[in-house]
Amino acid sequence: MSGFVGVVVSDPSLQGQFTQVELRSLKAKFVSLKRDSGHVTTKNLPVMMKKLRGLNEVVSVEEIAAFLSESYPDSDQEIEFESFLREYLNLQARVSAKEGGAGGGRGGKSSFLKSSTTTLLHNLNQAEKSSYVAHINTYLREDPFLKKYLPMDPSGNQLFDLIRDGVLLCKLINVAVPGTIDERAINKKRVLNPWERNENHTLCLNSAKAIGCTVVNIGTQDLVEGRPHLVLGLISQIIKIQLLADLNLKKTPQLVELFDDSKDIDEVLSLSPEKMLLRWMNHHLKKAGYKKTVNNFSSDVKDGEAYAYLLKALAPEHSPETTLDTKDPNERAKLVLEQAAKLDCKRYLTPKDITEGSANLNLAFVAQIFQHRNGLTSDTKQVTLTQTATPDDVLVSREERAFRMWINSLGVESYVNNVFEDVRNGWVLLEVLDKVSPGSVNWKLATKPPIKLPFRKLENCNQVVKIGKQLKFSLVNLAGNDIVQGNKKLIVALLWQLMRFNILQLLNKLRFHSQGGSQGKEISDADILDWANSKVKASGRTSRMESFKDKSLSNGLFFLELLSTVQPRVVNWKVVTKGETDEDKKLNATYIISVARKIGCSVFLLPEDIVEVNQKMILTLTASIMYWSLQNQHQSQSEMPEQSEPSSMASDAASDIASEDGASTTAPSELDEVNSLSDSVSNLTTDDATSNAPSTENGNGNSAFHGAQSRRYQKWFF
């Protein structure tokens, strides 16, 4: 066992879908097929997949072949290992959906983001594509870089070509959540090389996770290839986040009008944006005299009657009685859209989309109506209620956001909208524990939502505390009932220990596999600090951090030097400020986060966390950079002998990069990194995702840029 090395999967979120036993088995089958046939394609893969667990008795070889042909229309196109894993997951999901959701997982709670993620279904919805193109044309047509490519024809496929360089998706994320990506970190040239494109897509996917998108089954190569079903699935999520951004009490405190004064505001805060939108719609429908309750954006709105009543309540000046009197659903839908157009709310759907019950487009339509005319009061007394109930501690609010995004990035079944509310039944925390410490949860003793009996929630939370103590968390003052009661301070303390455990666990696995399976000293916070200081010192710079709460870190220069050390070409020093003013500090902090995501770190902190030197978030940032750097170093070393020629090609190509923004063009090199580490961490190298397999079996493509060198851009942290 001393020589055991785990199977490499460059995306830990994808790796988290399988155990090492499953990965080794799948890898062995895949390698055997490739050895026997020379290449793995849609011609020979279906027969092998037919024998896999979950598929052997429910789907035929022909059906598998048809499924794969949707992503690989060219039957001779080679399929790489990670692409095979994604297709296996997607096929399992389709089979599960076909059987009515059997085996669909333990999670009983979902939201618009989780339930509507279209990355698992390969049917291209032309109506949705046209609507998304119209949305992009509207919001990005004046963008200095993109305006020469816009507007696109909604009926064409220009979208799938335009997203290949990654710029459009990065810009769209910034439209949805302004300031998420520092545009100085985006590679923007008329023609990008594969290296630069991959950086943009890595930045895009890490940033998408940071705003709440579910991207478990999407890789950078999927975006480079412009795979329609995956592209639309991601764009759909980004646009929904934009459209529903104001559907919360923080952005629109007038929403409190939808609830009784006695309503628990914390419970209101836990509502997903989609449920809040339904609540708002039904509020106005009831006032307008509509007798039914709308529970979804598909079957309940197909006849257009609910829309007629909604517009009558919100815009009576544009709503003649003839709309309600019309018996033909198609005619009513047409009249509804004519009225909505007067409010500038027709962009997302056609009469046919209404009558066919297109859930995504109808949701977007209602959200657009909300944005233009929500019909809520501006009564300051109502607003005061939410202001007094909302947490005053801005730091706690920021940490809640970071923990929420981290949990959602793990690939758990439940989708978290508000940490302090959604963890109170214990189920989400059990899912997280099962991810970071597989096998630790006794699911026979757990109760999944919806949970009506309070003592069942307490049982879940008690098991959470029990497991936490087994993992040696400091839980002296925490009991299961504290979680049930929503004690924010204690919940934050628990979540921080979970996140920190996850960080240290990943770094410990790096060393474990680099040492051939031998166990050494557990990595500590001090080791991470020493590593960062030794890296910067070895580069000839004098910056140093005394601790993770060192106030000198607020100017951001130490982290920019650290990032430049682990990836010499990634920092453009021409755009870096001295960090002397608060404004300059924030500019540097914003740039640090985007650069870290660009190289492959999945981080969830905000610029304010760096400027204010939030000790917890500073630790996660440093550990993320360390994890990425050491994992790359190990893979470069282990794969160089097997791929000396492709790696050389990648290095030559990288050295030829003409960087428009002034960043260094030095090709990345981590091969001598171990000499720069301090003695205490000199043996650290790679993650559980280390493999003996040839690096050509990379799920993100088979060109030189997708070999050992380019994988450094495809690493995820959590």
Side-chain angles (χ1 to χ4, degrees):
M1 288 298 291
S2 61
F4 168 74
V5 180
V7 174
V8 159
V9 177
S10 65
D11 180 354
S13 296
L14 178 60
Q15 176 155 354
Q17 304 296 315
F18 304 93
T19 66
Q20 268 297 318
V21 173
E22 291 171 331
L23 282 173
R24 291 200 302 273
S25 175
L26 291 169
K27 186 78 170 183
K29 291 180 172 65
F30 186 88
V31 171
S32 176
L33 178 62
K34 186 168 185 175
R35 183 176 59 247
D36 294 342
S37 305
H39 298 284
V40 177
T41 67
T42 57
K43 293 179 180 178
N44 53 27
L45 186 56
V47 175
M48 186 264 275
M49 291 187 73
K50 174 73 171 71
K51 301 174 183 178
L52 299 179
R53 183 169 62 88
L55 303 180
N56 55 348
E57 296 180 356
V58 294
V59 64
S60 67
V61 172
E62 292 75 18
E63 288 174 323
I64 296 174
F67 174 85
L68 293 174
S69 68
E70 295 173 4
S71 295
Y72 300 89
D74 180 0
S75 60
D76 292 322
Q77 181 180 349
E78 185 168 1
I79 299 174
E80 303 297 339
F81 180 61
E82 290 191 20
S83 297
F84 155 66
L85 292 179
R86 289 191 176 93
E87 297 302 333
Y88 179 32
L89 287 175
N90 290 342
L91 187 54
Q92 284 183 317
R94 179 172 290 191
V95 169
S96 178
K98 183 178 179 182
E99 294 180 339
R106 292 183 295 265
K109 183 177 181 179
S110 64
S111 76
F112 76 98
L113 286 174
K114 197 75 177 179
S115 62
S116 62
T117 301
T118 58
T119 57
L120 295 178
L121 301 176
H122 291 195
N123 297 322
L124 187 60
N125 188 313
Q126 294 294 337
E128 289 190 13
K129 184 204 70 174
S130 297
S131 294
Y132 301 155
V133 168
H135 179 95
I136 292 169
N137 287 339
T138 298
Y139 285 93
L140 291 174
R141 68 191 310 162
E142 298 303 322
D143 180 85
F145 180 81
L146 293 173
K147 62 183 181 182
K148 57 180 172 288
Y149 305 109
L150 301 178
M152 295 178 283
D153 179 5
S155 63
N157 291 318
Q158 184 185 356
L159 170 65
F160 305 117
D161 293 325
L162 191 54
I163 61 94
R164 291 175 188 269
D165 65 5
V167 177
L168 185 146
L169 289 176
C170 287
K171 298 270 190 178
L172 190 61
I173 287 173
N174 271 351
V175 169
V177 183
T180 299
I181 296 176
D182 189 326
E183 294 212 4
R184 296 173 296 175
I186 304 174
N187 296 320
K188 291 178 288 188
K189 295 193 300 186
R190 187 173 293 274
V191 179
L192 298 178
N193 59 44
W195 200 296
E196 294 165 320
R197 283 201 305 269
N198 200 58
E199 283 184 329
N200 280 350
H201 289 307
T202 302
L203 173 60
C204 164
L205 289 176
N206 277 322
S207 300
K209 286 202 299 183
I211 66 172
C213 294
T214 302
V215 296
V216 173
N217 293 318
I218 309 176
T220 56
Q221 189 63 17
D222 297 318
L223 300 180
V224 170
E225 295 174 2
R227 294 192 180 182
H229 61 286
L230 295 174
V231 169
L232 290 184
L234 179 57
I235 290 176
S236 170
Q237 293 185 77
I238 296 171
I239 290 177
K240 284 179 180 178
I241 287 172
Q242 176 190 344
L243 292 175
L244 302 181
D246 293 337
L247 277 150
N248 58 74
L249 294 179
K250 183 177 180 181
K251 292 286 187 69
T252 311
Q254 293 85 359
L255 284 167
V256 75
E257 181 184 336
L258 309 183
F259 306 92
D260 298 331
D261 289 347
S262 59
K263 186 75 174 181
D264 184 349
I265 295 299
D266 284 337
E267 186 177 344
V268 175
L269 287 169
S270 71
L271 285 179
S272 69
E274 181 180 21
K275 289 181 179 178
M276 188 71 84
L277 187 62
L278 283 170
R279 186 72 178 245
W280 168 82
M281 184 177 184
N282 284 310
H283 170 77
H284 286 299
L285 289 177
K286 184 178 180 180
K287 289 171 64 175
Y290 191 58
K291 303 300 182 183
K292 303 175 184 176
T293 298
V294 175
N295 296 307
N296 58 63
F297 292 106
S298 53
S299 59
D300 286 359
V301 296
K302 289 173 68 172
D303 60 6
E305 190 176 0
Y307 287 147
Y309 274 93
L310 181 64
L311 290 172
K312 178 184 176 182
L314 296 173
E317 71 276 18
H318 301 312
S319 305
E321 292 295 330
T322 53
T323 306
L324 290 172
D325 295 336
T326 303
K327 302 300 182 184
D328 180 15
N330 293 302
E331 182 62 27
R332 185 185 296 119
K334 188 181 299 183
L335 291 173
V336 162
L337 291 182
E338 288 176 359
Q339 295 163 26
K342 296 175 183 178
L343 298 176
D344 195 25
C345 298
K346 192 186 175 182
R347 183 182 309 133
Y348 296 100
L349 76 176
T350 64
K352 184 179 179 182
D353 297 324
I354 293 178
T355 57
E356 291 187 352
S358 175
N360 283 345
L361 298 184
N362 277 289
L363 182 149
F365 177 58
V366 178
Q368 194 181 25
I369 294 175
F370 175 86
Q371 288 182 340
H372 284 80
R373 189 172 297 193
N374 62 39
L376 298 173
T377 182
S378 56
D379 187 346
T380 55
K381 292 181 180 179
Q382 293 274 28
V383 176
T384 303
L385 177 61
T386 63
Q387 289 176 337
T388 56
T390 303
D392 294 326
D393 190 341
V394 176
L395 178 60
V396 170
S397 179
R398 287 209 309 264
E399 290 184 343
E400 183 276 335
R401 174 198 170 277
F403 293 137
R404 171 166 32 98
M405 299 307 177
W406 171 65
I407 292 171
N408 288 334
S409 76
L410 293 175
V412 298
E413 290 293 330
S414 302
Y415 189 91
V416 176
N417 292 292
N418 180 287
V419 166
F420 299 130
E421 282 303 311
D422 292 351
V423 303
R424 288 175 62 177
N425 62 23
W427 183 260
V428 171
L429 293 174
L430 289 173
E431 288 185 297
V432 173
L433 282 165
D434 193 50
K435 282 289 182 181
V436 303
S437 181
S440 62
V441 178
N442 185 344
W443 292 108
K444 293 181 179 179
L445 301 179
T447 304
K448 66 179 180 180
I451 305 174
K452 296 181 179 180
L453 299 176
F455 78 91
R456 294 297 185 191
K457 298 179 183 179
L458 183 59
E459 286 179 343
N460 284 352
C461 294
N462 284 340
Q463 185 177 179
V464 169
V465 174
K466 179 181 178 181
I467 297 171
K469 291 179 178 178
Q470 291 171 351
L471 297 176
K472 300 187 180 346
F473 291 177
S474 176
L475 303 175
V476 177
N477 297 316
L478 179 69
N481 194 52
D482 293 314
I483 301 174
V484 175
Q485 296 298 321
N487 186 311
K488 294 182 176 62
K489 182 178 179 180
L490 295 178
I491 289 172
V492 164
L494 172 63
L495 288 171
W496 164 241
Q497 291 185 79
L498 269 169
M499 181 184 278
R500 181 177 173 275
F501 175 82
N502 187 211
I503 295 168
L504 297 180
Q505 180 191 51
L506 288 172
L507 289 172
N508 277 311
K509 286 181 179 178
L510 287 173
R511 179 180 57 191
F512 178 80
H513 291 298
S514 70
Q515 296 178 340
S518 62
Q519 192 67 44
K521 181 177 74 73
E522 292 288 312
I523 295 174
S524 66
D525 297 359
D527 292 327
I528 299 172
L529 182 72
D530 289 343
W531 174 85
N533 282 325
S534 66
K535 286 296 295 179
V536 173
K537 182 179 179 180
S539 70
R541 296 179 171 90
T542 58
S543 296
R544 178 180 177 83
M545 64 172 167
E546 298 302 323
S547 68
F548 294 115
K549 53 184 178 182
D550 186 340
K551 293 301 181 183
S552 68
L553 297 174
S554 66
N555 63 21
L557 295 179
F558 178 86
F559 289 110
L560 287 167
E561 291 178 353
L562 179 60
L563 286 163
S564 181
T565 300
V566 301
Q567 178 51 280
R569 64 176 292 275
V570 77
V571 175
N572 176 12
W573 288 101
K574 292 181 180 180
V575 303
V576 175
T577 75
K578 293 181 179 180
E580 294 175 344
T581 67
D582 289 344
E583 182 180 356
D584 286 349
K585 288 179 180 179
K586 188 167 184 180
L587 283 171
N588 283 352
T590 303
Y591 188 54
I592 288 166
I593 293 171
S594 289
V595 169
R597 289 172 179 159
K598 181 178 180 177
I599 66 173
C601 301
S602 186
V603 292
F604 303 98
L605 75 169
L606 293 171
E608 291 81 1
D609 293 316
I610 297 176
V611 174
E612 297 173 14
V613 193
N614 180 329
Q615 182 179 358
K616 298 173 185 175
M617 296 299 112
I618 292 293
L619 171 58
T620 64
L621 173 63
T622 311
S624 176
I625 298 170
M626 178 180 180
Y627 177 84
W628 179 86
S629 174
L630 298 181
Q631 189 176 43
N632 267 311
Q633 171 228 326
H634 176 86
Q635 286 200 323
S636 294
Q637 289 176 323
S638 63
E639 294 178 355
M640 278 288 285
E642 298 178 9
Q643 289 229 349
S644 56
E645 184 177 349
S647 295
S648 175
M649 290 170 61
S651 297
D652 292 342
S655 66
D656 292 335
I657 294 174
S659 180
E660 182 179 80
D661 59 7
S664 169
T665 58
T666 305
S669 176
E670 300 284 347
L671 299 180
D672 57 353
E673 178 175 347
V674 93
N675 296 324
S676 70
L677 301 179
S678 64
D679 291 340
S680 62
V681 287
S682 61
N683 291 323
L684 300 178
T685 37
T686 184
D687 171 53
D688 183 40
T690 309
S691 175
N692 290 325
S695 62
T696 52
E697 292 175 358
N698 179 354
N700 290 318
N702 51 19
S703 71
F705 283 95
H706 299 124
Q709 295 284 349
S710 73
R711 284 192 198 174
R712 65 191 66 245
Y713 298 116
Q714 299 162 14
K715 304 304 171 196
W716 305 82
F717 180 46
F718 295 112

